[in-house]
PDB file of all heavy atoms in Angstrom:
ATOM      1  N   ASP A  22     -45.906  -7.857  -9.083  1.00  0.00           N
ATOM      2  CA  ASP A  22     -46.526  -6.603  -8.496  1.00  0.00           C
ATOM      3  C   ASP A  22     -45.414  -5.919  -7.572  1.00  0.00           C
ATOM      4  O   ASP A  22     -45.637  -4.740  -7.216  1.00  0.00           O
ATOM      5  CB  ASP A  22     -47.673  -6.917  -7.626  1.00  0.00           C
ATOM      6  CG  ASP A  22     -48.845  -7.358  -8.530  1.00  0.00           C
ATOM      7  OD1 ASP A  22     -48.800  -7.045  -9.702  1.00  0.00           O
ATOM      8  OD2 ASP A  22     -49.706  -8.123  -7.975  1.00  0.00           O
ATOM      9  N   ASP A  23     -44.268  -6.626  -7.223  1.00  0.00           N
ATOM     10  CA  ASP A  23     -43.319  -5.899  -6.474  1.00  0.00           C
ATOM     11  C   ASP A  23     -42.631  -4.779  -7.078  1.00  0.00           C
ATOM     12  O   ASP A  23     -41.972  -4.035  -6.438  1.00  0.00           O
ATOM     13  CB  ASP A  23     -42.348  -6.945  -5.871  1.00  0.00           C
ATOM     14  CG  ASP A  23     -42.813  -8.057  -4.952  1.00  0.00           C
ATOM     15  OD1 ASP A  23     -43.922  -7.794  -4.379  1.00  0.00           O
ATOM     16  OD2 ASP A  23     -42.232  -9.049  -4.805  1.00  0.00           O
ATOM     17  N   HIS A  24     -42.882  -4.652  -8.391  1.00  0.00           N
ATOM     18  CA  HIS A  24     -42.246  -3.542  -9.171  1.00  0.00           C
ATOM     19  C   HIS A  24     -42.815  -2.239  -8.597  1.00  0.00           C
ATOM     20  O   HIS A  24     -42.170  -1.191  -8.753  1.00  0.00           O
ATOM     21  CB  HIS A  24     -42.413  -3.697 -10.576  1.00  0.00           C
ATOM     22  CG  HIS A  24     -41.586  -4.743 -11.126  1.00  0.00           C
ATOM     23  ND1 HIS A  24     -41.987  -5.442 -12.372  1.00  0.00           N
ATOM     24  CD2 HIS A  24     -40.495  -5.353 -10.843  1.00  0.00           C
ATOM     25  CE1 HIS A  24     -41.088  -6.286 -12.672  1.00  0.00           C
ATOM     26  NE2 HIS A  24     -40.176  -6.296 -11.769  1.00  0.00           N
ATOM     27  N   ASP A  25     -44.033  -2.254  -8.172  1.00  0.00           N
ATOM     28  CA  ASP A  25     -44.656  -1.064  -7.592  1.00  0.00           C
ATOM     29  C   ASP A  25     -44.088  -0.591  -6.207  1.00  0.00           C
ATOM     30  O   ASP A  25     -44.415  -1.221  -5.207  1.00  0.00           O
ATOM     31  CB  ASP A  25     -46.168  -1.203  -7.443  1.00  0.00           C
ATOM     32  CG  ASP A  25     -46.878   0.094  -7.176  1.00  0.00           C
ATOM     33  OD1 ASP A  25     -46.178   1.142  -7.093  1.00  0.00           O
ATOM     34  OD2 ASP A  25     -48.019   0.019  -6.913  1.00  0.00           O
ATOM     35  N   ASP A  26     -43.054   0.140  -6.222  1.00  0.00           N
ATOM     36  CA  ASP A  26     -42.460   0.572  -4.949  1.00  0.00           C
ATOM     37  C   ASP A  26     -42.827   1.845  -4.396  1.00  0.00           C
ATOM     38  O   ASP A  26     -42.163   2.487  -3.511  1.00  0.00           O
ATOM     39  CB  ASP A  26     -40.893   0.509  -5.150  1.00  0.00           C
ATOM     40  CG  ASP A  26     -40.468   1.467  -6.154  1.00  0.00           C
ATOM     41  OD1 ASP A  26     -41.281   2.239  -6.760  1.00  0.00           O
ATOM     42  OD2 ASP A  26     -39.239   1.519  -6.500  1.00  0.00           O
ATOM     43  N   GLY A  27     -43.992   2.421  -4.866  1.00  0.00           N
ATOM     44  CA  GLY A  27     -44.456   3.658  -4.392  1.00  0.00           C
ATOM     45  C   GLY A  27     -43.846   4.857  -5.010  1.00  0.00           C
ATOM     46  O   GLY A  27     -44.212   5.973  -4.788  1.00  0.00           O
ATOM     47  N   SER A  28     -42.927   4.756  -6.016  1.00  0.00           N
ATOM     48  CA  SER A  28     -42.338   5.838  -6.622  1.00  0.00           C
ATOM     49  C   SER A  28     -43.264   6.594  -7.548  1.00  0.00           C
ATOM     50  O   SER A  28     -44.236   5.835  -8.072  1.00  0.00           O
ATOM     51  CB  SER A  28     -41.028   5.381  -7.455  1.00  0.00           C
ATOM     52  OG  SER A  28     -40.146   4.748  -6.478  1.00  0.00           O
ATOM     53  N   ASP A  29     -43.087   7.728  -7.875  1.00  0.00           N
ATOM     54  CA  ASP A  29     -44.096   8.484  -8.683  1.00  0.00           C
ATOM     55  C   ASP A  29     -43.630   8.428 -10.126  1.00  0.00           C
ATOM     56  O   ASP A  29     -42.933   9.190 -10.705  1.00  0.00           O
ATOM     57  CB  ASP A  29     -44.122   9.991  -8.223  1.00  0.00           C
ATOM     58  CG  ASP A  29     -45.071  10.752  -8.978  1.00  0.00           C
ATOM     59  OD1 ASP A  29     -46.035  10.257  -9.606  1.00  0.00           O
ATOM     60  OD2 ASP A  29     -44.932  12.102  -9.045  1.00  0.00           O
ATOM     61  N   TYR A  30     -44.009   7.353 -10.822  1.00  0.00           N
ATOM     62  CA  TYR A  30     -43.716   7.056 -12.258  1.00  0.00           C
ATOM     63  C   TYR A  30     -45.050   6.912 -12.985  1.00  0.00           C
ATOM     64  O   TYR A  30     -45.921   6.169 -12.470  1.00  0.00           O
ATOM     65  CB  TYR A  30     -42.775   5.928 -12.466  1.00  0.00           C
ATOM     66  CG  TYR A  30     -41.427   6.121 -12.004  1.00  0.00           C
ATOM     67  CD1 TYR A  30     -40.962   5.642 -10.721  1.00  0.00           C
ATOM     68  CD2 TYR A  30     -40.517   6.758 -12.682  1.00  0.00           C
ATOM     69  CE1 TYR A  30     -39.715   5.872 -10.224  1.00  0.00           C
ATOM     70  CE2 TYR A  30     -39.190   6.942 -12.399  1.00  0.00           C
ATOM     71  CZ  TYR A  30     -38.677   6.481 -11.082  1.00  0.00           C
ATOM     72  OH  TYR A  30     -37.531   6.695 -10.717  1.00  0.00           O
ATOM     73  N   ASN A  31     -45.094   7.433 -14.096  1.00  0.00           N
ATOM     74  CA  ASN A  31     -46.261   7.208 -15.064  1.00  0.00           C
ATOM     75  C   ASN A  31     -45.672   6.777 -16.318  1.00  0.00           C
ATOM     76  O   ASN A  31     -45.532   7.564 -17.309  1.00  0.00           O
ATOM     77  CB  ASN A  31     -47.073   8.465 -15.204  1.00  0.00           C
ATOM     78  CG  ASN A  31     -48.338   8.281 -16.074  1.00  0.00           C
ATOM     79  OD1 ASN A  31     -48.763   7.091 -16.252  1.00  0.00           O
ATOM     80  ND2 ASN A  31     -48.931   9.291 -16.676  1.00  0.00           N
ATOM     81  N   ASP A  32     -45.207   5.570 -16.416  1.00  0.00           N
ATOM     82  CA  ASP A  32     -44.409   4.919 -17.465  1.00  0.00           C
ATOM     83  C   ASP A  32     -45.248   4.240 -18.311  1.00  0.00           C
ATOM     84  O   ASP A  32     -45.784   3.058 -17.996  1.00  0.00           O
ATOM     85  CB  ASP A  32     -43.263   4.202 -16.958  1.00  0.00           C
ATOM     86  CG  ASP A  32     -42.286   3.774 -18.166  1.00  0.00           C
ATOM     87  OD1 ASP A  32     -42.568   4.145 -19.165  1.00  0.00           O
ATOM     88  OD2 ASP A  32     -41.234   3.172 -17.706  1.00  0.00           O
ATOM     89  N   PRO A  33     -45.593   4.608 -19.591  1.00  0.00           N
ATOM     90  CA  PRO A  33     -46.508   3.808 -20.455  1.00  0.00           C
ATOM     91  C   PRO A  33     -45.711   2.764 -21.336  1.00  0.00           C
ATOM     92  O   PRO A  33     -46.310   2.076 -22.064  1.00  0.00           O
ATOM     93  CB  PRO A  33     -47.002   4.922 -21.448  1.00  0.00           C
ATOM     94  CG  PRO A  33     -45.895   5.911 -21.629  1.00  0.00           C
ATOM     95  CD  PRO A  33     -45.258   5.924 -20.202  1.00  0.00           C
ATOM     96  N   THR A  34     -44.421   2.626 -21.068  1.00  0.00           N
ATOM     97  CA  THR A  34     -43.594   1.669 -21.814  1.00  0.00           C
ATOM     98  C   THR A  34     -44.038   0.305 -21.598  1.00  0.00           C
ATOM     99  O   THR A  34     -44.219  -0.122 -20.501  1.00  0.00           O
ATOM    100  CB  THR A  34     -42.032   1.841 -21.433  1.00  0.00           C
ATOM    101  OG1 THR A  34     -41.793   3.199 -21.547  1.00  0.00           O
ATOM    102  CG2 THR A  34     -41.232   1.000 -22.441  1.00  0.00           C
ATOM    103  N   PRO A  35     -44.218  -0.510 -22.605  1.00  0.00           N
ATOM    104  CA  PRO A  35     -44.853  -1.892 -22.482  1.00  0.00           C
ATOM    105  C   PRO A  35     -43.825  -2.883 -21.952  1.00  0.00           C
ATOM    106  O   PRO A  35     -42.656  -2.762 -22.189  1.00  0.00           O
ATOM    107  CB  PRO A  35     -45.274  -2.216 -23.937  1.00  0.00           C
ATOM    108  CG  PRO A  35     -44.395  -1.438 -24.858  1.00  0.00           C
ATOM    109  CD  PRO A  35     -44.028  -0.207 -24.086  1.00  0.00           C
ATOM    110  N   LEU A  36     -44.336  -3.822 -21.320  1.00  0.00           N
ATOM    111  CA  LEU A  36     -43.547  -5.004 -20.896  1.00  0.00           C
ATOM    112  C   LEU A  36     -43.653  -6.050 -22.045  1.00  0.00           C
ATOM    113  O   LEU A  36     -44.779  -6.537 -22.284  1.00  0.00           O
ATOM    114  CB  LEU A  36     -44.092  -5.697 -19.655  1.00  0.00           C
ATOM    115  CG  LEU A  36     -43.313  -6.842 -19.061  1.00  0.00           C
ATOM    116  CD1 LEU A  36     -41.961  -6.415 -18.721  1.00  0.00           C
ATOM    117  CD2 LEU A  36     -44.051  -7.560 -17.929  1.00  0.00           C
ATOM    118  N   LEU A  37     -42.617  -6.253 -22.776  1.00  0.00           N
ATOM    119  CA  LEU A  37     -42.644  -6.971 -24.119  1.00  0.00           C
ATOM    120  C   LEU A  37     -42.548  -8.480 -23.875  1.00  0.00           C
ATOM    121  O   LEU A  37     -42.805  -9.232 -24.801  1.00  0.00           O
ATOM    122  CB  LEU A  37     -41.504  -6.518 -25.008  1.00  0.00           C
ATOM    123  CG  LEU A  37     -41.700  -5.035 -25.443  1.00  0.00           C
ATOM    124  CD1 LEU A  37     -40.542  -4.683 -26.349  1.00  0.00           C
ATOM    125  CD2 LEU A  37     -43.027  -4.800 -26.194  1.00  0.00           C
ATOM    126  N   GLY A  38     -42.147  -8.894 -22.677  1.00  0.00           N
ATOM    127  CA  GLY A  38     -42.067 -10.315 -22.514  1.00  0.00           C
ATOM    128  C   GLY A  38     -41.181 -10.593 -21.186  1.00  0.00           C
ATOM    129  O   GLY A  38     -40.813  -9.714 -20.510  1.00  0.00           O
ATOM    130  N   ARG A  39     -41.074 -11.903 -21.041  1.00  0.00           N
ATOM    131  CA  ARG A  39     -40.219 -12.409 -19.953  1.00  0.00           C
ATOM    132  C   ARG A  39     -38.839 -12.618 -20.429  1.00  0.00           C
ATOM    133  O   ARG A  39     -38.525 -12.721 -21.613  1.00  0.00           O
ATOM    134  CB  ARG A  39     -40.845 -13.715 -19.300  1.00  0.00           C
ATOM    135  CG  ARG A  39     -42.294 -13.363 -18.818  1.00  0.00           C
ATOM    136  CD  ARG A  39     -43.027 -14.715 -18.593  1.00  0.00           C
ATOM    137  NE  ARG A  39     -42.436 -15.556 -17.459  1.00  0.00           N
ATOM    138  CZ  ARG A  39     -42.825 -15.417 -16.176  1.00  0.00           C
ATOM    139  NH1 ARG A  39     -43.759 -14.553 -15.866  1.00  0.00           N
ATOM    140  NH2 ARG A  39     -42.279 -16.131 -15.227  1.00  0.00           N
ATOM    141  N   PRO A  40     -37.840 -12.840 -19.523  1.00  0.00           N
ATOM    142  CA  PRO A  40     -36.524 -13.234 -19.955  1.00  0.00           C
ATOM    143  C   PRO A  40     -36.445 -14.339 -20.929  1.00  0.00           C
ATOM    144  O   PRO A  40     -35.611 -14.406 -21.902  1.00  0.00           O
ATOM    145  CB  PRO A  40     -35.785 -13.438 -18.644  1.00  0.00           C
ATOM    146  CG  PRO A  40     -36.503 -12.696 -17.607  1.00  0.00           C
ATOM    147  CD  PRO A  40     -37.891 -12.727 -18.012  1.00  0.00           C
ATOM    148  N   ALA A  41     -37.243 -15.384 -20.756  1.00  0.00           N
ATOM    149  CA  ALA A  41     -37.296 -16.577 -21.554  1.00  0.00           C
ATOM    150  C   ALA A  41     -37.645 -16.154 -22.981  1.00  0.00           C
ATOM    151  O   ALA A  41     -37.419 -16.963 -23.962  1.00  0.00           O
ATOM    152  CB  ALA A  41     -38.203 -17.629 -21.083  1.00  0.00           C
ATOM    153  N   ASP A  42     -38.350 -15.027 -23.217  1.00  0.00           N
ATOM    154  CA  ASP A  42     -38.849 -14.591 -24.444  1.00  0.00           C
ATOM    155  C   ASP A  42     -37.772 -13.864 -25.240  1.00  0.00           C
ATOM    156  O   ASP A  42     -38.101 -13.338 -26.475  1.00  0.00           O
ATOM    157  CB  ASP A  42     -40.110 -13.762 -24.319  1.00  0.00           C
ATOM    158  CG  ASP A  42     -41.180 -14.526 -23.596  1.00  0.00           C
ATOM    159  OD1 ASP A  42     -41.325 -15.710 -23.827  1.00  0.00           O
ATOM    160  OD2 ASP A  42     -41.931 -13.789 -22.907  1.00  0.00           O
ATOM    161  N   VAL A  43     -36.585 -13.664 -24.727  1.00  0.00           N
ATOM    162  CA  VAL A  43     -35.601 -12.738 -25.299  1.00  0.00           C
ATOM    163  C   VAL A  43     -35.270 -13.049 -26.805  1.00  0.00           C
ATOM    164  O   VAL A  43     -35.182 -12.192 -27.598  1.00  0.00           O
ATOM    165  CB  VAL A  43     -34.302 -12.680 -24.453  1.00  0.00           C
ATOM    166  CG1 VAL A  43     -33.643 -14.042 -24.486  1.00  0.00           C
ATOM    167  CG2 VAL A  43     -33.390 -11.554 -25.017  1.00  0.00           C
ATOM    168  N   ALA A  44     -35.143 -14.359 -27.133  1.00  0.00           N
ATOM    169  CA  ALA A  44     -34.869 -14.750 -28.528  1.00  0.00           C
ATOM    170  C   ALA A  44     -35.970 -14.301 -29.468  1.00  0.00           C
ATOM    171  O   ALA A  44     -35.623 -13.723 -30.513  1.00  0.00           O
ATOM    172  CB  ALA A  44     -34.611 -16.210 -28.630  1.00  0.00           C
ATOM    173  N   ALA A  45     -37.167 -14.437 -29.103  1.00  0.00           N
ATOM    174  CA  ALA A  45     -38.354 -14.006 -29.908  1.00  0.00           C
ATOM    175  C   ALA A  45     -38.426 -12.485 -29.997  1.00  0.00           C
ATOM    176  O   ALA A  45     -38.674 -12.018 -31.125  1.00  0.00           O
ATOM    177  CB  ALA A  45     -39.603 -14.519 -29.370  1.00  0.00           C
ATOM    178  N   VAL A  46     -38.199 -11.770 -28.972  1.00  0.00           N
ATOM    179  CA  VAL A  46     -38.213 -10.346 -28.957  1.00  0.00           C
ATOM    180  C   VAL A  46     -37.105  -9.757 -29.766  1.00  0.00           C
ATOM    181  O   VAL A  46     -37.317  -8.906 -30.541  1.00  0.00           O
ATOM    182  CB  VAL A  46     -38.102  -9.787 -27.473  1.00  0.00           C
ATOM    183  CG1 VAL A  46     -38.094  -8.402 -27.439  1.00  0.00           C
ATOM    184  CG2 VAL A  46     -39.414 -10.240 -26.653  1.00  0.00           C
ATOM    185  N   LEU A  47     -35.918 -10.324 -29.616  1.00  0.00           N
ATOM    186  CA  LEU A  47     -34.821  -9.818 -30.503  1.00  0.00           C
ATOM    187  C   LEU A  47     -35.068 -10.082 -31.897  1.00  0.00           C
ATOM    188  O   LEU A  47     -34.768  -9.327 -32.748  1.00  0.00           O
ATOM    189  CB  LEU A  47     -33.595 -10.592 -29.998  1.00  0.00           C
ATOM    190  CG  LEU A  47     -32.995 -10.183 -28.595  1.00  0.00           C
ATOM    191  CD1 LEU A  47     -31.734 -11.005 -28.323  1.00  0.00           C
ATOM    192  CD2 LEU A  47     -32.642  -8.823 -28.536  1.00  0.00           C
ATOM    193  N   GLU A  48     -35.689 -11.185 -32.195  1.00  0.00           N
ATOM    194  CA  GLU A  48     -35.934 -11.536 -33.593  1.00  0.00           C
ATOM    195  C   GLU A  48     -37.111 -10.617 -34.154  1.00  0.00           C
ATOM    196  O   GLU A  48     -36.994 -10.230 -35.355  1.00  0.00           O
ATOM    197  CB  GLU A  48     -36.345 -13.019 -33.728  1.00  0.00           C
ATOM    198  CG  GLU A  48     -36.477 -13.434 -35.206  1.00  0.00           C
ATOM    199  CD  GLU A  48     -35.168 -13.492 -36.090  1.00  0.00           C
ATOM    200  OE1 GLU A  48     -34.084 -13.682 -35.350  1.00  0.00           O
ATOM    201  OE2 GLU A  48     -35.260 -13.154 -37.232  1.00  0.00           O
ATOM    202  N   ASN A  49     -38.135 -10.449 -33.385  1.00  0.00           N
ATOM    203  CA  ASN A  49     -39.267  -9.694 -33.924  1.00  0.00           C
ATOM    204  C   ASN A  49     -38.948  -8.198 -33.961  1.00  0.00           C
ATOM    205  O   ASN A  49     -39.372  -7.472 -34.929  1.00  0.00           O
ATOM    206  CB  ASN A  49     -40.405  -9.900 -33.008  1.00  0.00           C
ATOM    207  CG  ASN A  49     -41.014 -11.320 -33.171  1.00  0.00           C
ATOM    208  OD1 ASN A  49     -40.853 -11.930 -34.209  1.00  0.00           O
ATOM    209  ND2 ASN A  49     -41.777 -11.763 -32.090  1.00  0.00           N
ATOM    210  N   ILE A  50     -38.262  -7.593 -32.933  1.00  0.00           N
ATOM    211  CA  ILE A  50     -38.176  -6.047 -32.778  1.00  0.00           C
ATOM    212  C   ILE A  50     -36.853  -5.683 -33.283  1.00  0.00           C
ATOM    213  O   ILE A  50     -36.610  -4.559 -33.758  1.00  0.00           O
ATOM    214  CB  ILE A  50     -38.365  -5.749 -31.356  1.00  0.00           C
ATOM    215  CG1 ILE A  50     -39.777  -6.111 -30.836  1.00  0.00           C
ATOM    216  CG2 ILE A  50     -38.148  -4.297 -31.068  1.00  0.00           C
ATOM    217  CD1 ILE A  50     -40.018  -5.915 -29.535  1.00  0.00           C
ATOM    218  N   ARG A  51     -35.753  -6.613 -33.223  1.00  0.00           N
ATOM    219  CA  ARG A  51     -34.401  -6.285 -33.714  1.00  0.00           C
ATOM    220  C   ARG A  51     -33.900  -4.993 -33.056  1.00  0.00           C
ATOM    221  O   ARG A  51     -33.601  -4.017 -33.802  1.00  0.00           O
ATOM    222  CB  ARG A  51     -34.352  -6.162 -35.310  1.00  0.00           C
ATOM    223  CG  ARG A  51     -34.745  -7.328 -35.950  1.00  0.00           C
ATOM    224  CD  ARG A  51     -34.586  -7.320 -37.436  1.00  0.00           C
ATOM    225  NE  ARG A  51     -35.011  -8.657 -38.107  1.00  0.00           N
ATOM    226  CZ  ARG A  51     -34.187  -9.665 -38.164  1.00  0.00           C
ATOM    227  NH1 ARG A  51     -33.012  -9.666 -37.722  1.00  0.00           N
ATOM    228  NH2 ARG A  51     -34.668 -10.699 -38.718  1.00  0.00           N
ATOM    229  N   PRO A  52     -33.810  -4.896 -31.819  1.00  0.00           N
ATOM    230  CA  PRO A  52     -33.194  -3.675 -31.122  1.00  0.00           C
ATOM    231  C   PRO A  52     -31.789  -3.704 -31.388  1.00  0.00           C
ATOM    232  O   PRO A  52     -31.081  -4.668 -31.570  1.00  0.00           O
ATOM    233  CB  PRO A  52     -33.534  -3.860 -29.597  1.00  0.00           C
ATOM    234  CG  PRO A  52     -33.589  -5.376 -29.572  1.00  0.00           C
ATOM    235  CD  PRO A  52     -34.160  -5.922 -30.823  1.00  0.00           C
ATOM    236  N   LYS A  53     -31.275  -2.474 -31.317  1.00  0.00           N
ATOM    237  CA  LYS A  53     -29.841  -2.257 -31.458  1.00  0.00           C
ATOM    238  C   LYS A  53     -29.086  -2.281 -30.049  1.00  0.00           C
ATOM    239  O   LYS A  53     -27.736  -2.477 -30.080  1.00  0.00           O
ATOM    240  CB  LYS A  53     -29.558  -1.009 -32.216  1.00  0.00           C
ATOM    241  CG  LYS A  53     -29.946  -0.910 -33.634  1.00  0.00           C
ATOM    242  CD  LYS A  53     -29.101  -1.968 -34.477  1.00  0.00           C
ATOM    243  CE  LYS A  53     -29.581  -1.817 -35.908  1.00  0.00           C
ATOM    244  NZ  LYS A  53     -28.740  -2.894 -36.783  1.00  0.00           N
ATOM    245  N   VAL A  54     -29.889  -1.999 -28.909  1.00  0.00           N
ATOM    246  CA  VAL A  54     -29.211  -1.925 -27.718  1.00  0.00           C
ATOM    247  C   VAL A  54     -30.030  -2.534 -26.688  1.00  0.00           C
ATOM    248  O   VAL A  54     -31.329  -2.469 -26.743  1.00  0.00           O
ATOM    249  CB  VAL A  54     -29.070  -0.429 -27.247  1.00  0.00           C
ATOM    250  CG1 VAL A  54     -28.594  -0.291 -25.900  1.00  0.00           C
ATOM    251  CG2 VAL A  54     -28.178   0.353 -28.319  1.00  0.00           C
ATOM    252  N   LEU A  55     -29.490  -3.414 -25.794  1.00  0.00           N
ATOM    253  CA  LEU A  55     -30.073  -4.011 -24.674  1.00  0.00           C
ATOM    254  C   LEU A  55     -29.437  -3.629 -23.399  1.00  0.00           C
ATOM    255  O   LEU A  55     -28.130  -3.738 -23.312  1.00  0.00           O
ATOM    256  CB  LEU A  55     -30.109  -5.492 -24.829  1.00  0.00           C
ATOM    257  CG  LEU A  55     -30.841  -6.428 -23.724  1.00  0.00           C
ATOM    258  CD1 LEU A  55     -31.612  -7.495 -24.494  1.00  0.00           C
ATOM    259  CD2 LEU A  55     -29.918  -6.872 -22.714  1.00  0.00           C
ATOM    260  N   ILE A  56     -30.106  -3.039 -22.410  1.00  0.00           N
ATOM    261  CA  ILE A  56     -29.551  -2.578 -21.149  1.00  0.00           C
ATOM    262  C   ILE A  56     -30.022  -3.465 -20.042  1.00  0.00           C
ATOM    263  O   ILE A  56     -31.229  -3.597 -19.886  1.00  0.00           O
ATOM    264  CB  ILE A  56     -29.826  -1.067 -20.897  1.00  0.00           C
ATOM    265  CG1 ILE A  56     -29.465  -0.174 -22.058  1.00  0.00           C
ATOM    266  CG2 ILE A  56     -29.171  -0.682 -19.599  1.00  0.00           C
ATOM    267  CD1 ILE A  56     -29.739   1.258 -21.854  1.00  0.00           C
ATOM    268  N   VAL A  57     -29.203  -4.061 -19.394  1.00  0.00           N
ATOM    269  CA  VAL A  57     -29.495  -5.031 -18.242  1.00  0.00           C
ATOM    270  C   VAL A  57     -29.661  -4.031 -16.907  1.00  0.00           C
ATOM    271  O   VAL A  57     -28.672  -3.699 -16.416  1.00  0.00           O
ATOM    272  CB  VAL A  57     -28.474  -6.081 -18.042  1.00  0.00           C
ATOM    273  CG1 VAL A  57     -28.915  -7.027 -16.847  1.00  0.00           C
ATOM    274  CG2 VAL A  57     -28.435  -6.946 -19.298  1.00  0.00           C
ATOM    275  N   ALA A  58     -30.804  -3.906 -16.451  1.00  0.00           N
ATOM    276  CA  ALA A  58     -31.036  -3.116 -15.198  1.00  0.00           C
ATOM    277  C   ALA A  58     -31.457  -4.026 -14.056  1.00  0.00           C
ATOM    278  O   ALA A  58     -32.107  -3.676 -13.066  1.00  0.00           O
ATOM    279  CB  ALA A  58     -32.050  -2.027 -15.470  1.00  0.00           C
ATOM    280  N   HIS A  59     -31.263  -5.310 -14.193  1.00  0.00           N
ATOM    281  CA  HIS A  59     -31.517  -6.378 -13.174  1.00  0.00           C
ATOM    282  C   HIS A  59     -32.995  -6.653 -13.013  1.00  0.00           C
ATOM    283  O   HIS A  59     -33.600  -7.564 -13.516  1.00  0.00           O
ATOM    284  CB  HIS A  59     -30.799  -6.049 -11.916  1.00  0.00           C
ATOM    285  CG  HIS A  59     -29.325  -5.679 -12.108  1.00  0.00           C
ATOM    286  ND1 HIS A  59     -28.429  -6.830 -12.460  1.00  0.00           N
ATOM    287  CD2 HIS A  59     -28.642  -4.658 -12.125  1.00  0.00           C
ATOM    288  CE1 HIS A  59     -27.263  -6.244 -12.616  1.00  0.00           C
ATOM    289  NE2 HIS A  59     -27.194  -4.997 -12.397  1.00  0.00           N
ATOM    290  N   GLY A  60     -33.732  -5.773 -12.299  1.00  0.00           N
ATOM    291  CA  GLY A  60     -35.095  -6.061 -11.934  1.00  0.00           C
ATOM    292  C   GLY A  60     -35.350  -7.321 -11.086  1.00  0.00           C
ATOM    293  O   GLY A  60     -34.485  -7.659 -10.279  1.00  0.00           O
ATOM    294  N   MET A  61     -36.403  -8.079 -11.465  1.00  0.00           N
ATOM    295  CA  MET A  61     -36.659  -9.298 -10.780  1.00  0.00           C
ATOM    296  C   MET A  61     -36.004 -10.556 -11.284  1.00  0.00           C
ATOM    297  O   MET A  61     -36.174 -11.591 -10.883  1.00  0.00           O
ATOM    298  CB  MET A  61     -38.210  -9.486 -10.615  1.00  0.00           C
ATOM    299  CG  MET A  61     -38.999  -8.363 -10.140  1.00  0.00           C
ATOM    300  SD  MET A  61     -38.596  -8.097  -8.404  1.00  0.00           S
ATOM    301  CE  MET A  61     -39.185  -9.639  -7.785  1.00  0.00           C
ATOM    302  N   VAL A  62     -35.148 -10.381 -12.313  1.00  0.00           N
ATOM    303  CA  VAL A  62     -34.670 -11.495 -13.107  1.00  0.00           C
ATOM    304  C   VAL A  62     -33.400 -11.979 -12.279  1.00  0.00           C
ATOM    305  O   VAL A  62     -32.476 -11.347 -11.916  1.00  0.00           O
ATOM    306  CB  VAL A  62     -34.109 -11.057 -14.406  1.00  0.00           C
ATOM    307  CG1 VAL A  62     -33.621 -12.240 -15.246  1.00  0.00           C
ATOM    308  CG2 VAL A  62     -35.205 -10.402 -15.205  1.00  0.00           C
ATOM    309  N   PRO A  63     -33.426 -13.280 -12.003  1.00  0.00           N
ATOM    310  CA  PRO A  63     -32.332 -13.953 -11.284  1.00  0.00           C
ATOM    311  C   PRO A  63     -31.019 -13.831 -12.075  1.00  0.00           C
ATOM    312  O   PRO A  63     -30.897 -13.744 -13.321  1.00  0.00           O
ATOM    313  CB  PRO A  63     -32.797 -15.392 -11.092  1.00  0.00           C
ATOM    314  CG  PRO A  63     -34.198 -15.411 -11.259  1.00  0.00           C
ATOM    315  CD  PRO A  63     -34.526 -14.340 -12.081  1.00  0.00           C
ATOM    316  N   GLU A  64     -29.801 -13.952 -11.295  1.00  0.00           N
ATOM    317  CA  GLU A  64     -28.521 -13.760 -11.915  1.00  0.00           C
ATOM    318  C   GLU A  64     -28.280 -14.796 -13.065  1.00  0.00           C
ATOM    319  O   GLU A  64     -27.785 -14.394 -14.145  1.00  0.00           O
ATOM    320  CB  GLU A  64     -27.445 -13.852 -10.933  1.00  0.00           C
ATOM    321  CG  GLU A  64     -26.077 -13.275 -11.246  1.00  0.00           C
ATOM    322  CD  GLU A  64     -26.066 -11.803 -11.112  1.00  0.00           C
ATOM    323  OE1 GLU A  64     -26.940 -11.222 -10.308  1.00  0.00           O
ATOM    324  OE2 GLU A  64     -25.073 -11.220 -11.588  1.00  0.00           O
TER     325      GLU A  64
END
C-alpha cells in the first residue's frame, strides 16, 4: 500500500506479478523491453 503516495494518478495498468514471478511473466507475455524503476523491490 505504500505505493499510494498521494500523487494524482489514475493508472489502469495491471500488476502482473511479483519479482519472483519474472520467469513466468517473461515466458507468458514475451515482452521486448523491461525497465527497472526500482519500486519496493530490494537491490
